[in-house]
Amino acid sequence: MTYIPIRQCVACRKKGAKSEFIRFSARGGEGRGAYICPNAACIKKAKKANALGRALRVHIGEETYDELLREAEK
Ligand SMILES: [Zn+2]
């Protein structure tokens, strides 16, 4: 049996394979990661609730969400 890690979007709580989400981590890719759908709706929702900051227990500025937003809109 192959183990498929299931991740969950911090904004809409949708579950799925890792590849379906953007992985976000606080310190340049190291440490704990949080996952979010690559769409503007989820990123805006996360920004409003600071969902990534709460998931990772670190401070995340609004500009970080704006960066993700740009990434998702590419
Ligand atoms: Zn989502």
Side-chain angles (χ1 to χ4, degrees):
M1 242 169 39
T2 313
Y3 172 71
I4 299 165
I6 297 300
R7 303 291 187 244
Q8 189 177 34
C9 170
V10 294
C12 70
R13 303 282 165 199
K14 185 180 85 112
K15 289 180 182 172
K18 205 175 164 180
S19 57
E20 290 180 40
F21 302 108
I22 297 176
R23 182 179 192 273
F24 178 83
S25 57
R27 288 177 199 85
E30 284 171 51
R32 275 177 66 123
Y35 294 82
I36 189 161
C37 301
N39 66 57
C42 278
I43 295 164
K44 281 177 185 163
K45 197 172 165 184
K47 181 181 176 180
K48 224 176 192 177
N50 188 26
L52 287 173
R54 286 194 303 184
L56 296 174
R57 300 207 180 100
V58 293
H59 172 76
I60 290 172
E62 292 206 342
E63 66 281 358
T64 304
Y65 291 100
D66 293 338
E67 249 169 59
L68 285 173
L69 213 47
R70 279 197 294 273
E71 191 102 332
E73 282 167 351
K74 263 183 208 162

